[in-house]
């Protein structure tokens, strides 16, 4: 154990700002937690004021909070400094010998090493902030939605940096509001909601299929196969042409249809929809996702165990592709 959260919670004026949070992060772990932005904000607010944290609610193996690096969206940069000057500043701050060439390579900042921070793109500035984590060299790194607003190349950089920190023996904890990012970045994935924290079992697909099959009714000979997929909004039922649907997500026992960047709840299980839509070109790319292959623009390979699908829709959505289904997809599209 490097850091452990022991029934951490926050209640003010009888309002639960943070539900109970219990989690242990070991050396070399990359744990991602998908949660609402509100909970993530309250969590980091509490970490920034450790004096308000109840005794024994957080256990850190060595060094206390001095041994924890927090990466937050509010972190700033000195805009008049160059990238190299910023790196040297952090090296002096953390009393580390500068290895500028290695830092620039890891963060892919070689081309802008002598450019002033104010002239960097947003993604380049974020990659520069990632360098601060590499320089700090603590045992615990906690990230607040680090992939927010990043371009594709910077997401690759972030993924490689997390792996690098893990290989150095650090304990890495990442909070993100997006399930796709949580799956892509983490070795262990959790959901944190008003019901507390629950681990997503990455190998539980067969169990899920068995449970769903038990609850689905066997079709009778009198049933008619419809080519519309239904969703409900308040007291209305909407019928979608299947080819209108970009992808389908299963989350906390509820199924959602994503159509033109809008989200609609469906009463059908993802397993049932898979069986109906597979002949129409839909593919079960992940335990929680069913994608319309006509919307897939590219397959993104983050590492040998991490993949995503980029969609050609107005939102430019990316959704996870599991390792096992990557092989099935290659066979299906004859790669």
């Amino acid at each position: 154990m490097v850091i452990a959260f022991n029934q951490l919670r926050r209640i003010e004026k009888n309002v639960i700002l943070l539900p109970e949070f219990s989690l242990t992060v070991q050396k070399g772990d990359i744990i991602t937690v998908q949660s609402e932005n509100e909970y993530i904000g309250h969590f980091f607010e509490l970490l920034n004021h450790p004096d308000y944290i109840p005794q024994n609610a957080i256990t850190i193996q060595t060094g206390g909070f001095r041994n924890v690096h927090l990466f937050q969206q509010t972190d700033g940069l000195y805009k008049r400094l160059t990238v190299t000057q910023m790196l040297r500043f952090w090296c002096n701050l953390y009393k580390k010998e500068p290895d500028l060439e290695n830092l620039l390579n890891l963060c892919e900042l070689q081309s802008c090493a002598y450019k002033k921070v104010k002239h960097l793109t947003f993604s380049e500035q974020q990659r520069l902030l990632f360098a601060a984590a590499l320089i700090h060299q603590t045992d615990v790194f906690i990230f607040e939605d680090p992939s927010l607003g990043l371009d594709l190349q910077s997401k690759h950089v972030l993924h490689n940096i997390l792996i690098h920190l893990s290989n150095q023996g650090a304990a890495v904890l990442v909070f993100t509001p997006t399930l796709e990012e949580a799956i892509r970045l983490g070795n262990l994935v959790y959901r944190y909601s008003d019901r507390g924290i629950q681990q997503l079992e990455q190998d539980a697909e067969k169990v899920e299929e068995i449970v769903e099959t038990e609850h689905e009714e066997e079709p009778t000979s009198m049933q008619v196969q419809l080519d519309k997929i239904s969703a409900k909004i308040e007291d209305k039922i909407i019928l979608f042409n299947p080819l209108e649907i970009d992808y389908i997500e299963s989350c906390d026992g509820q199924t959602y249809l994503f159509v033109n960047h809008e989200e609609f709840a469906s009463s059908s299980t993802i397993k049932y929809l898979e069986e109906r839509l597979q002949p129409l070109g839909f593919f079960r790319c992940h335990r929680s996702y069913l994608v319309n292959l006509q919307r897939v623009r590219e397959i993104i390979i983050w590492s040998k165990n991490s993949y995503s699908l980029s969609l050609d829709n107005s939102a430019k959505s990316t959704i996870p592709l599991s390792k096992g289904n990557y092989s099935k997809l290659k066979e299906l599209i004859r790669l």
Side-chain angles (χ1 to χ4, degrees), residues 69 71-73 75 77 87 90 103 106-107 109 122-136 141 143-148 150 153-159 161-162 165:
H69 181 92
F71 177 94
Q72 298 175 259
Q73 289 301 325
D75 291 346
L77 296 164
L87 295 176
W90 281 324
L103 289 169
L106 282 170
C107 299
L109 292 169
F122 174 80
S123 290
E124 288 171 341
Q125 290 183 11
Q126 293 301 97
R127 297 208 301 268
L128 180 55
L129 286 169
F130 295 154
L134 295 171
I135 294 171
H136 200 178
F141 294 85
F143 290 82
E144 178 193 13
D145 198 9
S147 57
L148 178 65
L150 293 184
Q153 187 57 33
S154 298
K155 288 186 177 183
H156 277 286
V157 172
L158 170 61
H159 186 265
I161 286 174
L162 297 184
L165 294 173

Short mmCIF file of all heavy atoms in Angstrom, two decimals, residues 69 71-73 75 77 87 90 103 106-107 109 122-136 141 143-148 150 153-159 161-162 165:
data_model
loop_
_atom_site.label_atom_id
_atom_site.label_comp_id
_atom_site.label_asym_id
_atom_site.label_seq_id
_atom_site.Cartn_x
_atom_site.Cartn_y
_atom_site.Cartn_z
N HIS A 69 1.84 14.27 -5.47
CA HIS A 69 1.79 15.30 -6.52
C HIS A 69 0.38 15.37 -7.06
O HIS A 69 -0.17 14.39 -7.54
CB HIS A 69 2.76 14.95 -7.67
CG HIS A 69 2.76 15.99 -8.77
ND1 HIS A 69 3.65 17.04 -8.78
CD2 HIS A 69 1.99 16.13 -9.87
CE1 HIS A 69 3.42 17.78 -9.86
NE2 HIS A 69 2.41 17.24 -10.53
N PHE A 71 -2.04 16.88 -9.87
CA PHE A 71 -2.16 17.55 -11.17
C PHE A 71 -3.59 18.03 -11.29
O PHE A 71 -4.53 17.23 -11.29
CB PHE A 71 -1.83 16.58 -12.31
CG PHE A 71 -2.02 17.18 -13.68
CD1 PHE A 71 -0.94 17.75 -14.34
CD2 PHE A 71 -3.26 17.19 -14.29
CE1 PHE A 71 -1.10 18.32 -15.60
CE2 PHE A 71 -3.44 17.75 -15.54
CZ PHE A 71 -2.36 18.32 -16.20
N GLN A 72 -3.78 19.35 -11.40
CA GLN A 72 -5.12 19.92 -11.42
C GLN A 72 -5.31 20.84 -12.62
O GLN A 72 -4.35 21.41 -13.15
CB GLN A 72 -5.39 20.70 -10.13
CG GLN A 72 -5.32 19.82 -8.88
CD GLN A 72 -5.46 20.63 -7.62
OE1 GLN A 72 -4.49 20.94 -6.94
NE2 GLN A 72 -6.69 20.99 -7.29
N GLN A 73 -6.58 21.00 -13.00
CA GLN A 73 -6.88 21.87 -14.13
C GLN A 73 -6.60 23.34 -13.81
O GLN A 73 -6.51 24.17 -14.71
CB GLN A 73 -8.34 21.68 -14.55
CG GLN A 73 -8.62 20.35 -15.22
CD GLN A 73 -7.80 20.14 -16.47
OE1 GLN A 73 -7.52 21.07 -17.21
NE2 GLN A 73 -7.40 18.90 -16.71
N ASP A 75 -3.84 24.34 -12.36
CA ASP A 75 -2.39 24.56 -12.33
C ASP A 75 -2.01 25.61 -13.38
O ASP A 75 -2.54 25.62 -14.49
CB ASP A 75 -1.64 23.26 -12.61
CG ASP A 75 -1.78 22.26 -11.48
OD1 ASP A 75 -2.23 22.67 -10.39
OD2 ASP A 75 -1.45 21.08 -11.67
N LEU A 77 1.08 28.32 -15.33
CA LEU A 77 2.42 28.41 -15.90
C LEU A 77 2.84 29.87 -15.96
O LEU A 77 1.99 30.78 -16.04
CB LEU A 77 2.44 27.81 -17.32
CG LEU A 77 2.15 26.32 -17.45
CD1 LEU A 77 1.81 25.98 -18.90
CD2 LEU A 77 3.33 25.49 -16.98
N LEU A 87 11.08 24.33 -17.25
CA LEU A 87 11.58 23.05 -16.75
C LEU A 87 12.69 23.26 -15.72
O LEU A 87 12.74 22.57 -14.70
CB LEU A 87 12.09 22.19 -17.92
CG LEU A 87 11.03 21.73 -18.93
CD1 LEU A 87 11.70 20.99 -20.08
CD2 LEU A 87 9.98 20.86 -18.27
N TRP A 90 11.20 24.30 -12.35
CA TRP A 90 10.67 23.17 -11.58
C TRP A 90 11.80 22.31 -11.00
O TRP A 90 11.68 21.81 -9.88
CB TRP A 90 9.75 22.32 -12.44
CG TRP A 90 8.38 22.90 -12.61
CD1 TRP A 90 7.66 23.60 -11.69
CD2 TRP A 90 7.58 22.85 -13.80
NE1 TRP A 90 6.45 23.98 -12.22
CE2 TRP A 90 6.36 23.53 -13.50
CE3 TRP A 90 7.75 22.29 -15.06
CZ2 TRP A 90 5.35 23.66 -14.44
CZ3 TRP A 90 6.74 22.41 -15.98
CH2 TRP A 90 5.55 23.10 -15.69
N LEU A 103 13.24 14.95 -20.57
CA LEU A 103 11.93 15.53 -20.31
C LEU A 103 11.25 16.00 -21.60
O LEU A 103 10.06 15.76 -21.81
CB LEU A 103 12.06 16.70 -19.34
CG LEU A 103 12.39 16.36 -17.89
CD1 LEU A 103 12.76 17.62 -17.11
CD2 LEU A 103 11.22 15.66 -17.22
N LEU A 106 10.08 12.86 -23.53
CA LEU A 106 8.92 12.19 -22.94
C LEU A 106 7.63 12.98 -23.17
O LEU A 106 6.57 12.40 -23.38
CB LEU A 106 9.14 11.98 -21.44
CG LEU A 106 10.04 10.82 -21.03
CD1 LEU A 106 10.35 10.87 -19.53
CD2 LEU A 106 9.37 9.49 -21.36
N CYS A 107 7.75 14.31 -23.12
CA CYS A 107 6.57 15.15 -23.28
C CYS A 107 6.40 15.67 -24.71
O CYS A 107 5.47 16.45 -24.97
CB CYS A 107 6.64 16.33 -22.31
SG CYS A 107 6.69 15.83 -20.57
N LEU A 109 8.14 17.80 -26.53
CA LEU A 109 8.21 19.26 -26.57
C LEU A 109 9.50 19.75 -27.24
O LEU A 109 9.86 20.93 -27.11
CB LEU A 109 8.13 19.83 -25.14
CG LEU A 109 6.79 19.68 -24.42
CD1 LEU A 109 6.93 20.02 -22.94
CD2 LEU A 109 5.71 20.55 -25.06
N PHE A 122 -2.84 24.96 -26.32
CA PHE A 122 -3.34 24.43 -25.06
C PHE A 122 -2.75 23.05 -24.78
O PHE A 122 -2.30 22.77 -23.66
CB PHE A 122 -4.87 24.35 -25.07
CG PHE A 122 -5.44 23.67 -23.85
CD1 PHE A 122 -5.59 24.37 -22.66
CD2 PHE A 122 -5.81 22.33 -23.89
CE1 PHE A 122 -6.10 23.75 -21.53
CE2 PHE A 122 -6.33 21.70 -22.77
CZ PHE A 122 -6.47 22.41 -21.58
N SER A 123 -2.73 22.19 -25.78
CA SER A 123 -2.21 20.83 -25.58
C SER A 123 -0.73 20.84 -25.24
O SER A 123 -0.27 20.05 -24.41
CB SER A 123 -2.46 19.98 -26.83
OG SER A 123 -3.84 19.70 -26.98
N GLU A 124 0.03 21.74 -25.86
CA GLU A 124 1.46 21.84 -25.54
C GLU A 124 1.65 22.33 -24.11
O GLU A 124 2.56 21.86 -23.40
CB GLU A 124 2.14 22.79 -26.53
CG GLU A 124 2.28 22.20 -27.92
CD GLU A 124 2.75 23.24 -28.94
OE1 GLU A 124 2.60 24.46 -28.68
OE2 GLU A 124 3.23 22.83 -30.02
N GLN A 125 0.82 23.27 -23.66
CA GLN A 125 0.91 23.72 -22.28
C GLN A 125 0.60 22.59 -21.30
O GLN A 125 1.26 22.47 -20.26
CB GLN A 125 -0.05 24.89 -22.05
CG GLN A 125 0.36 26.17 -22.75
CD GLN A 125 -0.56 27.33 -22.45
OE1 GLN A 125 -1.40 27.25 -21.55
NE2 GLN A 125 -0.42 28.42 -23.19
N GLN A 126 -0.39 21.76 -21.63
CA GLN A 126 -0.71 20.63 -20.76
C GLN A 126 0.44 19.63 -20.72
O GLN A 126 0.76 19.08 -19.67
CB GLN A 126 -1.99 19.95 -21.23
CG GLN A 126 -3.25 20.79 -21.07
CD GLN A 126 -3.50 21.20 -19.63
OE1 GLN A 126 -3.16 22.31 -19.22
NE2 GLN A 126 -4.09 20.31 -18.85
N ARG A 127 1.08 19.39 -21.86
CA ARG A 127 2.23 18.48 -21.88
C ARG A 127 3.38 19.03 -21.04
O ARG A 127 4.12 18.28 -20.41
CB ARG A 127 2.69 18.23 -23.32
CG ARG A 127 1.64 17.56 -24.19
CD ARG A 127 2.26 16.74 -25.31
NE ARG A 127 3.11 17.48 -26.22
CZ ARG A 127 2.70 18.06 -27.34
NH1 ARG A 127 1.41 18.02 -27.67
NH2 ARG A 127 3.55 18.69 -28.12
N LEU A 128 3.51 20.36 -21.04
CA LEU A 128 4.53 20.99 -20.18
C LEU A 128 4.19 20.78 -18.71
O LEU A 128 5.09 20.50 -17.88
CB LEU A 128 4.62 22.47 -20.51
CG LEU A 128 5.65 23.30 -19.71
CD1 LEU A 128 7.04 22.70 -19.84
CD2 LEU A 128 5.65 24.75 -20.20
N LEU A 129 2.91 20.85 -18.36
CA LEU A 129 2.50 20.58 -16.97
C LEU A 129 2.75 19.12 -16.59
O LEU A 129 3.07 18.82 -15.44
CB LEU A 129 1.03 20.94 -16.78
CG LEU A 129 0.71 22.43 -16.72
CD1 LEU A 129 -0.80 22.66 -16.79
CD2 LEU A 129 1.28 23.06 -15.45
N PHE A 130 2.60 18.20 -17.55
CA PHE A 130 2.92 16.80 -17.27
C PHE A 130 4.39 16.65 -16.87
O PHE A 130 4.75 15.79 -16.07
CB PHE A 130 2.64 15.92 -18.49
CG PHE A 130 1.20 15.85 -18.90
CD1 PHE A 130 0.85 15.58 -20.22
CD2 PHE A 130 0.18 16.06 -17.98
CE1 PHE A 130 -0.48 15.53 -20.61
CE2 PHE A 130 -1.16 16.01 -18.36
CZ PHE A 130 -1.48 15.74 -19.69
N ALA A 131 5.25 17.50 -17.46
CA ALA A 131 6.68 17.43 -17.14
C ALA A 131 6.94 17.72 -15.67
O ALA A 131 7.88 17.17 -15.08
CB ALA A 131 7.45 18.42 -18.02
N ALA A 132 6.10 18.56 -15.06
CA ALA A 132 6.27 18.86 -13.64
C ALA A 132 6.10 17.60 -12.80
O ALA A 132 6.81 17.40 -11.80
CB ALA A 132 5.26 19.92 -13.20
N ALA A 133 5.17 16.73 -13.20
CA ALA A 133 4.98 15.47 -12.48
C ALA A 133 6.22 14.59 -12.62
O ALA A 133 6.65 13.94 -11.66
CB ALA A 133 3.75 14.75 -13.02
N LEU A 134 6.81 14.57 -13.81
CA LEU A 134 8.02 13.76 -14.02
C LEU A 134 9.18 14.27 -13.18
O LEU A 134 9.99 13.50 -12.68
CB LEU A 134 8.40 13.76 -15.50
CG LEU A 134 7.40 13.10 -16.45
CD1 LEU A 134 7.78 13.38 -17.90
CD2 LEU A 134 7.34 11.60 -16.20
N ILE A 135 9.26 15.58 -13.03
CA ILE A 135 10.36 16.18 -12.26
C ILE A 135 10.17 15.94 -10.76
O ILE A 135 11.14 15.67 -10.04
CB ILE A 135 10.46 17.69 -12.56
CG1 ILE A 135 10.87 17.92 -14.02
CG2 ILE A 135 11.45 18.37 -11.61
CD1 ILE A 135 10.77 19.36 -14.47
N HIS A 136 8.93 16.00 -10.30
CA HIS A 136 8.65 15.90 -8.87
C HIS A 136 9.11 14.57 -8.28
O HIS A 136 9.64 14.51 -7.17
CB HIS A 136 7.16 16.10 -8.61
CG HIS A 136 6.84 16.47 -7.20
ND1 HIS A 136 5.57 16.74 -6.77
CD2 HIS A 136 7.64 16.63 -6.11
CE1 HIS A 136 5.60 17.05 -5.48
NE2 HIS A 136 6.83 16.99 -5.05
N PHE A 141 0.84 10.05 -7.39
CA PHE A 141 0.41 11.07 -8.35
C PHE A 141 -1.10 10.97 -8.50
O PHE A 141 -1.63 9.91 -8.80
CB PHE A 141 1.08 10.86 -9.71
CG PHE A 141 2.57 11.06 -9.69
CD1 PHE A 141 3.42 10.02 -9.33
CD2 PHE A 141 3.12 12.29 -10.02
CE1 PHE A 141 4.79 10.20 -9.30
CE2 PHE A 141 4.50 12.47 -9.99
CZ PHE A 141 5.34 11.43 -9.63
N PHE A 143 -4.27 12.76 -10.54
CA PHE A 143 -4.56 13.62 -11.68
C PHE A 143 -6.04 13.97 -11.74
O PHE A 143 -6.89 13.08 -11.59
CB PHE A 143 -4.17 12.92 -12.98
CG PHE A 143 -2.69 12.76 -13.19
CD1 PHE A 143 -1.99 11.72 -12.60
CD2 PHE A 143 -1.99 13.65 -13.99
CE1 PHE A 143 -0.63 11.55 -12.80
CE2 PHE A 143 -0.62 13.50 -14.19
CZ PHE A 143 0.06 12.45 -13.60
N GLU A 144 -6.33 15.23 -12.01
CA GLU A 144 -7.71 15.68 -12.22
C GLU A 144 -7.96 15.83 -13.72
O GLU A 144 -7.44 16.75 -14.36
CB GLU A 144 -7.94 17.02 -11.52
CG GLU A 144 -9.35 17.58 -11.75
CD GLU A 144 -9.49 19.03 -11.31
OE1 GLU A 144 -8.45 19.69 -11.06
OE2 GLU A 144 -10.63 19.51 -11.24
N ASP A 145 -8.74 14.91 -14.28
CA ASP A 145 -9.16 14.95 -15.68
C ASP A 145 -8.03 15.43 -16.61
O ASP A 145 -8.18 16.44 -17.32
CB ASP A 145 -10.38 15.88 -15.82
CG ASP A 145 -11.13 15.65 -17.12
OD1 ASP A 145 -10.81 14.67 -17.83
OD2 ASP A 145 -12.03 16.44 -17.44
N PRO A 146 -6.90 14.72 -16.64
CA PRO A 146 -5.73 15.22 -17.37
C PRO A 146 -5.89 15.25 -18.88
O PRO A 146 -5.15 15.94 -19.57
CB PRO A 146 -4.63 14.23 -16.96
CG PRO A 146 -5.36 12.96 -16.64
CD PRO A 146 -6.66 13.41 -16.02
N SER A 147 -6.84 14.49 -19.44
CA SER A 147 -6.99 14.45 -20.91
C SER A 147 -7.99 15.48 -21.43
O SER A 147 -8.24 15.54 -22.63
CB SER A 147 -7.42 13.05 -21.35
OG SER A 147 -8.61 12.66 -20.71
N LEU A 148 -8.54 16.30 -20.55
CA LEU A 148 -9.53 17.30 -20.95
C LEU A 148 -8.95 18.26 -21.98
O LEU A 148 -7.95 18.93 -21.74
CB LEU A 148 -10.01 18.09 -19.72
CG LEU A 148 -11.01 19.22 -20.00
CD1 LEU A 148 -12.33 18.64 -20.52
CD2 LEU A 148 -11.26 20.05 -18.75
N LEU A 150 -7.34 17.77 -24.69
CA LEU A 150 -6.09 17.42 -25.37
C LEU A 150 -6.34 16.96 -26.80
O LEU A 150 -7.35 16.32 -27.10
CB LEU A 150 -5.37 16.29 -24.61
CG LEU A 150 -4.82 16.60 -23.23
CD1 LEU A 150 -4.05 15.40 -22.70
CD2 LEU A 150 -3.93 17.83 -23.24
N GLN A 153 -2.45 13.51 -30.24
CA GLN A 153 -1.06 13.23 -29.94
C GLN A 153 -0.75 13.44 -28.47
O GLN A 153 0.00 12.67 -27.85
CB GLN A 153 -0.15 14.13 -30.80
CG GLN A 153 1.34 13.80 -30.69
CD GLN A 153 1.65 12.35 -31.05
OE1 GLN A 153 0.97 11.78 -31.90
NE2 GLN A 153 2.64 11.78 -30.42
N SER A 154 -1.34 14.46 -27.86
CA SER A 154 -1.10 14.72 -26.44
C SER A 154 -1.71 13.63 -25.56
O SER A 154 -1.20 13.34 -24.49
CB SER A 154 -1.66 16.09 -26.05
OG SER A 154 -0.99 17.11 -26.77
N LYS A 155 -2.81 13.03 -26.02
CA LYS A 155 -3.37 11.89 -25.29
C LYS A 155 -2.40 10.71 -25.31
O LYS A 155 -2.28 9.98 -24.32
CB LYS A 155 -4.72 11.50 -25.88
CG LYS A 155 -5.83 12.49 -25.58
CD LYS A 155 -7.18 11.99 -26.06
CE LYS A 155 -8.30 12.95 -25.70
NZ LYS A 155 -9.63 12.46 -26.10
N HIS A 156 -1.73 10.52 -26.44
CA HIS A 156 -0.69 9.49 -26.50
C HIS A 156 0.42 9.79 -25.48
O HIS A 156 0.90 8.90 -24.78
CB HIS A 156 -0.08 9.43 -27.90
CG HIS A 156 -0.85 8.63 -28.88
ND1 HIS A 156 -0.89 7.24 -28.86
CD2 HIS A 156 -1.63 8.99 -29.92
CE1 HIS A 156 -1.64 6.81 -29.84
NE2 HIS A 156 -2.12 7.84 -30.49
N VAL A 157 0.84 11.05 -25.43
CA VAL A 157 1.88 11.47 -24.49
C VAL A 157 1.45 11.20 -23.06
O VAL A 157 2.22 10.65 -22.26
CB VAL A 157 2.23 12.96 -24.69
CG1 VAL A 157 3.17 13.44 -23.58
CG2 VAL A 157 2.87 13.18 -26.05
N LEU A 158 0.23 11.59 -22.71
CA LEU A 158 -0.28 11.35 -21.36
C LEU A 158 -0.27 9.86 -21.03
O LEU A 158 0.18 9.47 -19.94
CB LEU A 158 -1.71 11.88 -21.25
CG LEU A 158 -2.48 11.51 -19.97
CD1 LEU A 158 -1.78 12.05 -18.74
CD2 LEU A 158 -3.92 12.03 -20.05
N HIS A 159 -0.74 9.04 -21.94
CA HIS A 159 -0.76 7.59 -21.71
C HIS A 159 0.64 7.06 -21.44
O HIS A 159 0.86 6.28 -20.49
CB HIS A 159 -1.36 6.91 -22.95
CG HIS A 159 -1.57 5.44 -22.79
ND1 HIS A 159 -0.66 4.50 -23.22
CD2 HIS A 159 -2.59 4.74 -22.24
CE1 HIS A 159 -1.12 3.30 -22.95
NE2 HIS A 159 -2.28 3.40 -22.36
N ILE A 161 3.23 8.76 -20.32
CA ILE A 161 3.74 9.31 -19.06
C ILE A 161 3.20 8.52 -17.87
O ILE A 161 3.94 8.21 -16.93
CB ILE A 161 3.40 10.81 -18.95
CG1 ILE A 161 4.29 11.62 -19.89
CG2 ILE A 161 3.56 11.31 -17.51
CD1 ILE A 161 3.95 13.09 -19.96
N LEU A 162 1.93 8.18 -17.89
CA LEU A 162 1.36 7.37 -16.81
C LEU A 162 2.05 6.02 -16.71
O LEU A 162 2.34 5.53 -15.61
CB LEU A 162 -0.15 7.19 -17.02
CG LEU A 162 -1.02 8.45 -16.99
CD1 LEU A 162 -2.48 8.09 -17.12
CD2 LEU A 162 -0.79 9.25 -15.71
N LEU A 165 5.49 6.58 -15.14
CA LEU A 165 5.41 6.76 -13.68
C LEU A 165 5.17 5.42 -12.99
O LEU A 165 5.77 5.13 -11.95
CB LEU A 165 4.29 7.74 -13.34
CG LEU A 165 4.49 9.19 -13.79
CD1 LEU A 165 3.22 10.01 -13.52
CD2 LEU A 165 5.68 9.81 -13.09
#
